[in-house]
């Protein structure tokens, strides 16, 4: 660490600077700063928000103007996998002026003030275990489910993002929390905002996710036989026949009308 004083010859202003060894990524326009791959086209500049986040969380400096492959970005922000891949390429001596240090402190203060109790937009905010406790899904499963919403009509709003809206629904289902409690936990204005988010996500999932993953129409008979029938099931249920589909249907929650004349004891 070296601290020096520089004097501006024009104005006679003395400004202290500090030189620090920093873990740095590459900053070439031809090499991805995330995966070090050669980029011929479709490269994107890493945002200042992501550079600050990685510097604060991982102590790795991504130089301003550094570029990465477009596949590492989702909605102009680095994905979780991309952030996990970020590694220092070299240790370089970087010179910071007093104004640079003040700017870094200001940015860190902004990041701190923007922190949420449950931040599902920041891949580093919650661990995989915390995802499972809150939503019953892993991070990977959560991102996979969220991908269905990115292709739907739902959009980010001033109150909540798409990921936050999905997280609210997934927290509501297993935990049974009231709308008021969800509003407090996710720092939303009121329970009406929570209710609108739940309705929007539920509608989007019914349109995009459910038809492709639930019900009789999302899978063929042959897929059931080939991918979802074990050898033991064949032996027990159909005398080891290879072309028989085995389906187990639970009718516990099927709505069935019952005459009023029947009495239950």
């Amino acid at each position: 660490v070296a601290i020096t004083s520089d004097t501006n010859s024009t104005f006679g202003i003395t400004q202290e600077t500090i030189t620090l060894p920093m873990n740095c990524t590459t900053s070439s326009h031809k090499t991805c700063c995330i995966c070090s791959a050669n980029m011929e086209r479709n490269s994107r500049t890493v945002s200042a928000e992501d550079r600050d986040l990685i510097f604060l969380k991982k102590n790795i400096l991504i130089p301003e103007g550094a570029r990465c492959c477009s596949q590492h970005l989702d909605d102009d922000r680095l994905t979780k996998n991309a952030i996990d891949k970020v590694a220092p390429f070299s240790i370089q001596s970087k010179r910071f002026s007093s104004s640079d240090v003040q700017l870094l402190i200001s940015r860190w203060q902004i990041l701190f003030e923007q922190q949420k109790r449950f931040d599902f937009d920041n891949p580093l905010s919650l661990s995989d275990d915390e995802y499972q406790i809150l939503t019953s899904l892993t991070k990977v499963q959560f991102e996979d489910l969220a991908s269905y919403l990115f292709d739907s009509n739902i959009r980010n709003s001033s109150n909540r993002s798409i990921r936050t809206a999905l997280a609210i629904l997934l927290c509501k289902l297993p935990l049974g929390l009231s709308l008021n409690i969800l509003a407090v936990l996710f720092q939303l204005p009121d329970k009406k905002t929570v209710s609108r988010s739940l309705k929007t996500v539920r509608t989007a999932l019914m349109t995009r996710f459910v038809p492709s993953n639930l019900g009789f129409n999302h899978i063929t008979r042959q897929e059931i036989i080939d991918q979802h029938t074990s050898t033991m099931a064949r032996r027990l249920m159909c005398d080891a026949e290879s072309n028989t589909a085995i389906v187990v249907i639970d009718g516990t929650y099927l709505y069935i009308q019952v005459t009023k004349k029947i009495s239950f004891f």
Side-chain angles (χ1 to χ4, degrees), residues 37 41 200 241-242:
R41 60 183 65 182
T200 302
E241 290 185 11
S242 60

Side-chain angles (χ1 to χ4, degrees), residues 214-226:
L214 297 172
F216 289 109
N217 293 327
H218 89 281
I219 192 171
T220 65
R221 178 180 182 276
Q222 196 59 44
E223 286 176 334
I224 294 176
I225 295 173
D226 295 339

Side-chain angles (χ1 to χ4, degrees), residues 148-159:
Y148 287 89
L149 299 180
F150 296 141
D151 296 330
S152 67
N153 294 327
I154 185 173
R155 295 290 180 267
N156 293 323
S157 71
S158 58
N159 291 320

Side-chain angles (χ1 to χ4, degrees), residues 134-137 142 145 165-175:
L134 293 171
T135 68
S136 300
L137 300 179
F142 182 89
L145 185 57
L166 175 60
I168 293 172
L169 176 64
L170 294 178
C171 288
K172 173 69 174 175
L173 292 176
L175 302 178

Side-chain angles (χ1 to χ4, degrees), residues 167-209:
I168 293 172
L169 176 64
L170 294 178
C171 288
K172 173 69 174 175
L173 292 176
L175 302 178
L177 301 175
S178 69
L179 299 184
N180 285 326
I181 292 178
L182 288 171
V184 171
L185 293 178
F186 287 91
Q187 296 171 271
L188 297 176
D190 49 45
K191 67 178 184 180
K192 290 183 179 179
T193 305
V194 177
S195 179
R196 287 194 298 268
S197 295
L198 292 173
K199 181 180 179 180
T200 302
V201 174
R202 182 181 60 82
T203 302
L205 289 177
M206 289 296 294
T207 303
R208 303 289 302 178
F209 176 79

